[in-house]
Amino acid sequence: VQLAESGGGLVQPGGSLRLSCTVSGRSDGYAVAWFRQHPGKEREFVATISWTGRTIHYSDAMQGRATISRDAIEKKVLLDLDSLNRDDTAVYYCGAAYASSVRRPDDCDYWGQGTQVTVSS
């Protein structure tokens, strides 16, 4: 399984952004999750979606401000972020695990390279 993130960039406070995780290889049955990492801190869970798309979970910090979805045709997992603030500035990673959902970084079997999101005016 290979993962590749895209869509990061500079956004103003209050703005929105769509991140994309392209999934390739033998990924049937793999849940995909988004995590983020602030400088000097551990990677933290943002959202996860099952292979079928029927099971979705969000972190408390992102509940109501993030929407995760799965495009089976394009083989992408999308993360829409709204009402961004400076605390959302981080490197965002997608990870995959052979499970119905994944919320801990240690449970991920595969990772992408990350995409930087910077919230600043």
Side-chain angles (χ1 to χ4, degrees):
V1 177
Q2 295 84 44
L3 308 173
E5 302 93 338
S6 61
L10 176 65
V11 61
Q12 292 189 343
S16 301
L17 204 61
R18 166 170 280 192
L19 304 181
S20 179
C21 175
T22 300
V23 183
S24 58
R26 293 191 173 186
S27 58
D28 291 20
Y30 279 79
V32 174
W34 283 94
F35 297 83
R36 66 184 184 182
Q37 190 164 19
H38 298 94
K41 296 194 175 182
E42 295 184 351
R43 207 163 288 191
E44 63 180 35
F45 169 72
V46 175
T48 184
I49 188 167
S50 63
W51 166 249
T52 62
R54 289 196 287 263
T55 301
I56 290 175
H57 298 286
Y58 298 97
S59 68
D60 290 342
M62 299 307 294
Q63 184 75 45
R65 298 196 298 123
T67 303
I68 191 170
S69 59
R70 195 154 195 158
D71 185 332
I73 296 174
E74 296 290 329
K75 294 189 177 182
K76 293 183 178 181
V77 174
L78 306 173
L79 183 69
D80 290 303
L81 302 171
D82 299 312
S83 303
L84 289 165
N85 59 63
R86 289 179 173 81
D87 291 340
D88 296 317
T89 295
V91 179
Y92 285 71
Y93 297 89
C94 59
Y98 191 72
S100 59
S101 68
V102 55
R103 297 192 233 192
R104 298 190 306 169
D106 288 349
D107 291 337
C108 289
D109 300 312
Y110 302 96
W111 288 100
Q113 80 287 354
T115 186
Q116 175 72 46
V117 172
T118 302
V119 184
S120 176
S121 56

